[in-house]
Amino acid sequence: MKNPPIVSLRGVHKYYGNYHALRGIDLDIGAGEFFSLLGPSGCGKTTLLRTIAGFEDPSDGVLLLDGKDMAHVPANRRPTNMVFQSYAIFPHLTVAENVAFGLRRRSDLDRSAKQKMVEESLEMVGLGGYGGRAAHALSGGQRQRVALARALILHPKVLLLDEPLSALDKKLREQMQNELRRLQRHVGITFILVTHDQEEALIMSDRIAVMFEGEIAQLADPQTLYRRPVTRRVADFIGVMNFLPAKVDGRTLEIAGLGRAEVQPDQAPSGMPSGSGHIGIRPETMSVLFEGEKTPVRVADGKVVELAYYGDMTYYQVLLDGTESPVTVSMKNLVGRKVLERGDRARISWDERSLVVFP
Amino acid sequence: MAMSRLARSEAARGLLMVSPPALYALLLLAVPLAAILAFSFWSQDFLTIDFTPTLKNYREAFSEPLYMQLMLRSVLIAGSVTLATVILAFPIAYFVSFHVPPHRKSLWIFLITIPFWTSYLIRVFLWKVILGYNGVLNTTLQGLGITDEPLTFILYNANAVVITLAHAFAPFAILPIFVSLEKIDRSLLEASRDLGENHVMTFLRVTLPLAVPGIVAAVLIVFIPTIGDYVTPRLVGGPDGLMIANMIQTQFLKLNNAPMGAALAVIAMSIVTLIALFFLFLNRKYLRGRS
Amino acid sequence: MKGGGLLRGYALLYLLFLYAPIILLPIFAFNSSTIIAFPLSEFTTQWFREIPNTPALVESVKTSLIIAVSTALLSTVLGICAARAGAKYRFPGKAPILGFIMLPLVLPEIIVAVSMLVVLLALGLPLGHWTVILGHTLICTPFCIAILNSAFANLDASLEEAAYDLGETAWSTFRLITLPLVMPGIVSALLISFTISLDEFIIAFFLTGTEPTLPVYLWGQLRFPQKIPVVMALGTILVAMSVTLLTFAEFMRRRGIAKAGRKDTGGFL
């Protein structure tokens, strides 16, 4: 976080009866950041977002927005605006009336000024000229844009987005991911995005908080999160990771199926275990060696037990000699590279610098 | 008021919001029902009420053949009405749900509900006109040469009550069955066909069982009001078609014996409740057996 | 599909059965004979002309209108409270409380009528318009709730949150968002409770004071054959009015569905 925090949470808890939805959240989100709350459903990410918006009251703890305590500030007085999962486009109003909705109370603006703001807002989200349309005649992607324009026209300090892309199909989702990122850079407002899609979070965010069971498991930028997950659970949630048991002696590891390796302290983000532990290794950091290729330093042998052909990639399940469950190895299907078959012997190359050590 | 504060006291807000209709029902339904119950244990001598608790009214109700006969007849007539109404209604609900194109369905439902919203009293009276000795039905049948003499078994008896009530409560039976049929996933029927069953067996093994909750709702929603109906027995029932509601009315307004009327009302209510509970139990057991 | 033709034939016969009395109504209303039977005599509008010249009937229509309008307003307001509470809030005892409010729907009307009568007489309160209004409101409220429930349940909670998030207060959110979106439901609830009250007989019969409602008046007239053609004429007018009101209610309901951008599922009640 480069800038001073615009959102600060200290020891925030939320109970619903006996259910403990948020378990002591401490979090600072910087001004102008694109921040994501990532986690499986029921992890508390939406509750956290709604707490910031003011739709939920924390049972305990403090929430500061722009340095001000929000304890007694209702949602309609907070400098935040929200893009709802369902978009919540008012069906009885036109597109322009929807976008102008929050300007109703702005007595300092005259009619034409408001109209101009609405047009600019719609222009910004790529809906110039759509003002007169009926809200219920819009497509999913258009609704999303109206919801964005309606929230951004009020220049909130923080824009909250509750799974805004989950209702869109794959193509449109990818397009909107780029547009949202671009829009955020353009307006410079802090965006807080709730998502369960790790890829989406990695693509769009400056920083990501991974949440499980009402707690933040890891808070990091996308690269750190991917390369140095602090727990096996985070590692498993972000992309694919292979886990192998290992004997640990100082910084020297004896890994089942792979053999001996030396690691640096930063490769064990939650501390170097002593005695026994696990290593994690990403499928794309290993390769299947083909005949005639130069033999690198680290190799291991095994058998292809299953494979999945994706067109651009092939995912092999390789059972390394001396291990019981296979590891996944992904290979780009480059020109001239042949695809192995089930039952083939395979020699795997790997690099000790890509290992992550877990207790 | 702040929504954050609303959320904190959601239960209080909900109770506050529901309290006007709840208090209304409490004052105008719970209190009167309790009063009826109390009355049924009192007795009346001309115009003075004796507040000593007594089972006299109930003893009389169960020993006087007229009361028991009326009660039994009410149950039988309401039962026949329910049976006739539901059996006649099912094919209509089925037709609208399975054979009418989706955009025309609400038109059909609308057409079915329209007659229900026109003066009940006049409708019942018109059935008297239709079923009467010189009525529409008899003149038509004789005019067409189907019968030589007017049919007499269709007015001023229980048959007339059944026909008239089956008409009056038709939409009440059609709507719940229609709703339950609409909920059936059409691919289930295709799956049944795919697994080798023909149309009839698919209907019996898939459609009908899935429509049971709707049928039970229809049975209850027809049976409960018909057992207490007053107008139809009086207008088309003749002396053999009178039902318990007519006796309750007589006790209250003509004989000035409110406690006796109250006891009859309590007994009628208990019978309705017992039968309703029986059907609900059947429905629940059936649903549990399935899941 | 097979069997469709047979079913369609049955459906048409069934509709004939449903509409038989209503088709007969205008036939006898325009028939000059005082005996309500076939064959018909001559065409006349005499019975319609007699309606305004029957003061007791005009009075009963007025009484019924006052009662029906009051009942519609009262039961719709109560219905809004219950439907809103049911759709928006979780609170202890919710299911039993709402179930109890819906109870009159499954209670024979004669029971409601006599039990209220007993209490009113015991308290020594005079019967009048207001006692009928109280009784009618009790039985109309569940119908209003049934209609309004779907209107409130179809309302996406995030619409209200969005308005609030955009700076509106709880009250202005209700006025700007909730009310316009459930308005079609409110209009149908008003119309249907009005229609039920206008037509209700048993409760009115027991609880009416010295001024009878229209159905109670009609009940009295059905005993006098010479008065029946006028009743038929009045019935014709009532049917025409009911159909108009209901068509309007259905139109509002459909518009409500279209407004909310939803598909019509066809349920009228």
Side-chain angles (χ1 to χ4, degrees):
Chain A
M1 187 177 63
K2 292 164 241 153
N3 304 326
I6 188 113
V7 180
S8 292
L9 296 111
R10 291 288 173 272
V12 169
H13 288 263
K14 177 70 187 176
Y15 293 90
Y16 295 106
N18 290 329
Y19 181 64
H20 202 167
L22 296 178
R23 305 175 180 227
I25 303 290
D26 293 301
L27 183 61
D28 287 305
I29 297 170
E33 234 187 325
F34 198 124
F35 192 90
S36 290
L37 295 168
L38 172 67
S41 62
C43 73
K45 56 189 193 298
T46 297
T47 306
L48 185 54
L49 192 79
R50 291 172 59 83
T51 304
I52 297 171
F55 294 123
E56 306 284 348
D57 259 357
S59 311
D60 194 12
V62 180
L63 164 66
L64 303 177
L65 282 180
D66 202 17
K68 293 183 197 71
D69 186 2
M70 289 289 127
H72 298 291
V73 182
N76 55 349
R77 304 254 164 85
R78 293 193 184 188
T80 59
N81 285 115
M82 186 133 155
V83 173
F84 290 82
Q85 186 168 14
S86 64
Y87 309 141
I89 302 302
F90 304 126
H92 58 308
L93 305 179
T94 63
V95 168
E97 284 168 336
N98 262 283
V99 175
F101 192 87
L103 296 178
R104 193 179 75 95
R105 297 181 161 255
R106 290 281 299 274
S107 48
D108 55 314
L109 298 170
D110 62 14
R111 204 185 169 78
S112 64
K114 287 181 182 177
Q115 208 174 336
K116 192 157 167 281
M117 284 173 77
V118 169
E119 274 161 22
E120 283 169 1
S121 245
L122 284 171
E123 205 71 53
M124 184 175 68
V125 296
L127 283 182
Y130 276 69
R133 297 259 180 122
H136 57 76
L138 297 177
S139 72
Q142 289 167 338
R143 277 159 186 266
Q144 154 104 72
R145 290 158 195 263
V146 174
L148 274 168
R150 185 176 71 180
L152 287 173
I153 200 172
L154 300 177
H155 300 296
K157 295 221 160 71
V158 181
L159 183 75
L160 306 167
L161 303 112
D162 185 6
E163 304 244 8
L165 305 174
S166 60
L168 306 179
D169 62 42
K170 194 164 179 285
K171 272 248 162 67
L172 193 55
R173 191 161 64 228
E174 283 167 4
Q175 185 193 336
M176 283 309 295
Q177 284 168 356
N178 289 326
E179 277 193 41
L180 268 179
R181 192 77 185 93
R182 211 197 55 226
L183 193 63
Q184 193 268 337
R185 285 204 197 97
H186 174 70
V187 296
I189 291 172
T190 308
F191 277 31
I192 304 179
L193 172 85
V194 157
T195 180
H196 63 269
D197 182 341
Q198 43 98 12
E199 210 171 85
E200 186 172 296
L202 291 177
I203 292 170
M204 298 167 77
S205 321
D206 293 321
R207 285 196 308 153
I208 300 168
V210 181
M211 292 182 69
F212 296 120
E213 272 108 40
E215 286 175 307
I216 294 177
Q218 187 168 7
L219 173 63
D221 61 90
Q223 288 208 26
T224 309
L225 197 63
Y226 190 79
R227 286 163 55 186
R228 296 289 180 258
V230 291
T231 63
R232 288 176 63 179
R233 188 160 181 201
V234 172
D236 212 21
F237 192 73
I238 312 288
V240 182
M241 191 166 253
N242 296 300
F243 299 104
L244 289 166
K247 288 202 180 71
V248 186
D249 180 15
R251 278 154 59 179
T252 310
L253 307 174
E254 186 64 43
I255 306 160
L258 291 180
R260 185 176 291 269
E262 289 279 323
V263 294
Q264 300 302 311
D266 72 295
Q267 285 175 267
S270 53
M272 195 65 87
S274 62
S276 68
H278 285 84
I279 63 95
I281 186 164
R282 297 281 184 195
E284 70 278 8
T285 62
M286 297 189 282
S287 350
V288 174
L289 284 176
F290 292 91
E291 274 171 48
E293 279 184 317
K294 186 169 71 144
T295 308
V297 192
R298 303 284 186 186
V299 292
D301 288 304
K303 195 175 88 171
V304 175
V305 291
E306 195 56 81
L307 74 159
Y309 179 76
Y310 275 73
D312 58 338
M313 305 282 281
T314 305
Y315 283 78
Y316 294 100
Q317 299 287 320
V318 179
L319 188 65
L320 295 171
D321 296 341
T323 61
E324 278 158 15
S325 52
V327 293
T328 305
V329 181
S330 66
M331 291 296 289
K332 269 224 166 76
N333 294 330
L334 299 178
V335 179
R337 183 179 276 178
K338 94 175 211 231
V339 176
L340 295 183
E341 283 174 27
R342 218 142 58 94
D344 286 352
R345 291 291 299 174
R347 173 159 284 193
I348 304 299
S349 79
W350 59 283
D351 192 320
E352 61 189 10
R353 287 170 301 173
S354 65
L355 298 178
V356 190
V357 187
F358 301 108
Chain B
M1 215 187 299
M3 202 173 265
S4 54
R5 250 172 287 154
L6 304 190
R8 195 179 310 164
S9 56
E10 187 186 322
R13 292 282 305 176
L15 284 170
L16 187 70
M17 187 68 90
V18 84
S19 61
L23 285 178
Y24 192 91
L26 190 72
L27 281 177
L28 285 129
L29 186 63
V31 170
L33 288 180
I36 276 282
L37 193 65
F39 256 87
S40 72
F41 292 104
W42 294 337
S43 55
Q44 183 157 1
D45 196 12
F46 293 106
L47 290 175
T48 50
I49 303 265
D50 180 356
F51 295 109
T52 348
T54 170
L55 287 172
K56 177 177 145 298
N57 300 315
Y58 288 97
R59 263 199 302 275
E60 197 181 325
F62 285 107
S63 57
E64 173 68 51
L66 176 64
Y67 296 147
M68 279 301 102
Q69 194 196 334
L70 279 178
M71 205 71 85
L72 187 68
R73 184 190 292 156
S74 299
V75 173
L76 286 179
I77 288 184
S80 323
V81 169
T82 308
L83 197 68
T85 312
V86 172
I87 287 176
L88 288 174
F90 190 91
I92 297 299
Y94 185 85
F95 171 75
V96 178
S97 182
F98 283 83
H99 292 277
V100 170
H103 63 280
R104 300 273 292 278
K105 280 180 184 173
S106 63
L107 177 70
W108 268 87
I109 294 298
F110 186 58
L111 278 178
I112 287 165
T113 39
I114 279 272
F116 163 68
W117 294 106
T118 54
S119 175
Y120 176 52
L121 214 58
I122 292 178
R123 258 187 300 149
V124 175
F125 176 78
L126 283 163
W127 274 107
K128 187 170 150 176
V129 172
I130 294 173
L131 300 172
Y133 191 80
N134 286 321
V136 176
L137 192 64
N138 276 328
T139 15
T140 313
L141 288 177
Q142 285 171 332
L144 293 173
I146 298 172
T147 52
D148 299 328
E149 282 173 33
L151 306 172
T152 51
F153 63 89
I154 49 174
L155 189 64
Y156 296 127
N157 55 30
N159 291 335
V161 177
V162 173
I163 294 173
T164 308
L165 287 175
H167 176 264
F169 287 95
F172 284 109
I174 294 174
L175 287 180
I177 298 174
F178 171 74
V179 169
S180 69
L181 289 175
E182 278 293 278
K183 279 190 193 150
I184 297 175
D185 182 350
R186 298 307 193 251
S187 64
L188 293 176
L189 309 181
E190 286 170 0
S192 166
R193 296 293 310 275
D194 182 60
L195 294 169
E197 291 293 18
N198 59 24
H199 277 299
V200 176
M201 287 311 290
T202 297
F203 175 79
L204 291 177
R205 291 186 63 189
V206 182
T207 316
L208 200 56
L210 289 175
V212 164
I215 295 172
V216 168
V219 164
L220 289 178
I221 228 163
V222 174
F223 184 83
I224 292 168
T226 46
I227 201 169
D229 192 57
Y230 173 83
V231 173
T232 305
R234 272 300 294 276
L235 276 181
V236 303
D240 296 337
L242 287 183
M243 288 164 66
I244 194 68
N246 307 92
M247 181 50 81
I248 295 174
Q249 187 262 347
T250 306
Q251 293 288 347
F252 270 97
L253 299 186
K254 298 232 173 83
L255 302 178
N256 264 322
N257 192 350
M260 191 63 223
L264 292 176
V266 170
I267 294 171
M269 235 185 329
S270 314
I271 292 174
V272 170
T273 312
L274 278 179
I275 292 174
L277 286 178
F278 172 73
F279 272 101
L280 288 178
F281 171 75
L282 216 65
N283 191 32
R284 181 166 295 184
K285 204 176 154 194
Y286 172 82
L287 288 178
R288 189 175 300 151
R290 227 176 40 188
S291 63
Chain C
M1 221 189 256
K2 239 180 3 181
L6 204 67
L7 266 176
R8 174 173 292 272
Y10 175 76
L12 292 175
L13 267 179
Y14 193 87
L15 278 186
L16 184 67
F17 166 65
L18 284 185
Y19 278 84
I22 292 144
I23 296 166
L24 290 177
L25 193 55
I27 294 179
F28 290 119
F30 289 107
N31 182 25
S32 64
S33 166
T34 53
I35 301 158
I36 304 297
F38 284 118
L40 299 171
S41 320
E42 286 152 36
F43 178 87
T44 178
T45 55
Q46 178 199 351
W47 313 122
F48 286 90
R49 275 180 280 122
E50 259 182 48
I51 294 174
N53 300 329
T54 318
L57 184 128
V58 176
E59 274 310 305
S60 72
V61 169
K62 274 187 200 158
T63 303
S64 271
L65 284 178
I66 292 169
I67 289 171
V69 168
S70 316
T71 300
L73 290 174
L74 201 54
S75 53
T76 302
V77 169
L78 292 175
I80 290 173
C81 291
R84 174 85 169 159
K88 196 170 158 87
Y89 302 104
R90 277 167 301 173
F91 50 91
K94 179 174 172 175
I97 291 174
L98 291 177
F100 180 67
I101 298 170
M102 297 299 276
L103 188 63
L105 209 55
V106 293
L107 217 53
E109 275 179 22
I110 183 108
I111 307 271
V112 175
V114 295
S115 58
M116 282 185 67
L117 182 69
V118 160
V119 171
L120 291 168
L121 292 181
L123 294 175
L125 295 170
L127 299 179
H129 291 1
W130 70 282
T131 47
V132 182
I133 294 170
L134 289 182
H136 280 181
T137 301
L138 190 69
I139 57 159
C140 287
T141 304
F143 283 94
C144 292
I145 294 174
I147 292 163
L148 290 165
N149 261 346
S150 63
F152 277 102
N154 277 343
L155 190 70
D156 181 358
S158 63
L159 289 175
E160 289 176 315
E161 286 184 349
Y164 198 66
D165 185 62
L166 293 167
E168 295 297 340
T169 62
W171 166 244
S172 63
T173 296
F174 186 77
R175 189 169 60 82
L176 293 170
I177 303 300
T178 318
L179 214 50
L181 289 177
V182 298
M183 192 44 86
I186 292 177
V187 172
S188 345
L190 282 172
L191 290 177
I192 276 166
S193 46
F194 176 84
T195 313
I196 294 174
S197 169
L198 202 62
D199 190 35
E200 203 285 332
F201 170 69
I202 297 179
I203 290 175
F205 184 51
F206 275 75
L207 300 182
T208 200
T210 46
E211 299 165 65
T213 66
L214 181 60
V216 176
Y217 171 81
L218 289 181
W219 177 253
Q221 300 306 299
L222 290 179
R223 269 178 288 168
F224 307 107
Q226 71 275 18
K227 297 270 182 69
I228 285 171
V230 183
V231 172
M232 294 289 121
L234 186 73
T236 307
I237 294 172
L238 286 180
V239 166
M241 266 170 49
S242 296
V243 171
T244 312
L245 274 182
L246 286 163
T247 311
F248 184 62
E250 171 72 4
F251 172 76
M252 289 304 285
R253 191 188 66 85
R254 288 195 191 189
R255 214 181 70 165
I257 288 167
K259 229 182 191 179
R262 278 162 208 281
K263 251 188 93 183
D264 190 354
T265 45
F268 186 64
L269 272 179

